[in-house]
Amino acid sequence: AQKITQTQPGMFVQEKEAVTLDCTYDTSDPSYGLFWYKQPSSGEMIFLIYQGSYDQQNATEGRYSLNFQKARKSANLVISASQLGDSAMYFCAIDYSQFYFGTGTSLTVIP
Amino acid sequence: DVKVTQSSRYLVKRTGEKVFLECVQDMDHENMFWYRQDPGLGLRLIYFSYDVKMKEKGDIPEGYSVSREKKERFSLILESASTNQTSMYLCASSLYGYGYTFGSGTRLTVV
């Protein structure tokens, strides 16, 4: 069974606009962690943001925020004020006994 | 900052060759992982290790083996490279309960 689902293979956003990348997950374990990674064309996976399953507040890191809706099993990434350098692949992952990654969303920021 | 270093960014090998992909981390992490990444499939776990000389199969171990003789080094071995092993290979390390730190990846082409 798919543990992590990213339904948007590709997204476009205008520079300086906000964009939401979708992620849903599937686990019955009450304790888990949710992560988002960015992968630019250079190939390196860069950690962006983390949300623990018991965290009451949505995680934020600069222009990144995680819209965590536990009942819906959803952990969407919101990027505010998009920049050209945000163009990359974005992966959602869940840490539950081991890491499971989604298939990724390719984000293109248009000038 | 934790660094995970993969010895090669790009490799081209011939079918049937034995291929070694090396990964070294410098922060004394117990856990190390090898993934392959293919378009539309996300990251798939090949092997992982929680300790020196310890290894566990991931989701797609066929055609691969690993070696962990020292804590900081985790090697992925393609016993007899085949064209369907052409892929991006990512190494990662972690402390239990924390996110992964990835290397910059190795793009392997088998001809």
Side-chain angles (χ1 to χ4, degrees):
Chain A
Q2 189 76 5
K3 298 286 193 292
I4 285 277
T5 302
Q6 294 180 254
T7 57
Q8 305 154 314
M11 292 277 288
F12 292 86
V13 63
Q14 205 75 38
E15 193 178 6
K16 299 178 185 167
E17 298 288 312
V19 63
T20 298
L21 306 184
D22 294 342
C23 173
T24 57
Y25 58 92
D26 179 23
T27 179
S28 55
D29 194 316
S31 178
Y32 51 88
L34 293 156
F35 298 80
W36 277 92
Y37 286 85
K38 172 184 177 181
Q39 187 182 42
S41 57
S42 59
E44 186 173 359
M45 296 281 278
I46 301 165
F47 166 74
L48 293 179
I49 196 165
Y50 164 80
Q51 178 87 40
S53 59
Y54 294 117
D55 293 343
Q56 295 296 313
Q57 294 196 316
N58 288 342
T60 60
E61 289 284 348
R63 294 185 299 111
Y64 304 107
S65 60
L66 201 153
N67 184 1
F68 181 45
Q69 298 186 44
K70 194 170 183 177
R72 295 182 61 190
K73 296 189 176 180
S74 151
N76 297 339
L77 177 71
V78 180
I79 306 174
S80 62
S82 298
Q83 301 172 356
L84 295 178
D86 294 334
S87 293
M89 284 289 290
Y90 289 82
F91 290 92
C92 180
I94 186 169
D95 183 9
Y96 136 64
S97 73
Q98 71 178 63
F99 254 56
Y100 297 92
F101 288 86
T103 52
T105 296
S106 176
L107 177 67
T108 302
V109 180
I110 304 165
Chain B
D1 274 356
V2 178
K3 278 209 75 136
V4 178
T5 304
Q6 293 183 231
S7 53
S8 305
R9 290 299 301 274
Y10 299 94
L11 271 181
V12 180
K13 296 292 182 181
R14 295 197 180 278
T15 301
E17 274 193 79
K18 191 168 186 175
V19 180
F20 293 85
L21 302 184
E22 305 289 345
C23 176
V24 177
Q25 51 94 3
D26 66 359
M27 281 298 288
D28 205 34
H29 283 178
E30 294 95 353
N31 310 323
M32 296 189 76
F33 308 84
W34 275 106
Y35 287 86
R36 68 176 280 176
Q37 181 183 4
D38 301 287
L41 297 177
L43 278 74
R44 293 180 291 168
L45 182 63
I46 306 171
Y47 267 97
F48 60 99
S49 169
Y50 289 151
D51 203 350
V52 176
K53 297 194 185 293
M54 175 271 180
K55 58 186 178 186
E56 292 285 345
K57 292 180 180 179
D59 299 319
I60 52 163
E62 296 79 18
Y64 303 95
S65 62
V66 290
S67 171
R68 194 167 182 197
E69 296 296 317
K70 294 184 178 181
K71 192 174 186 178
E72 67 270 19
R73 185 180 296 271
F74 192 37
S75 303
L76 180 69
I77 304 156
L78 285 67
E79 298 291 342
S80 177
S82 64
T83 54
N84 63 13
Q85 292 178 310
T86 291
S87 187
M88 170 73 133
Y89 290 87
L90 288 161
C91 175
S93 73
S94 77
L95 285 173
Y96 179 76
Y98 294 84
Y100 288 11
T101 299
F102 285 87
S104 52
T106 297
R107 295 186 189 272
L108 173 67
T109 301
V110 182
V111 297

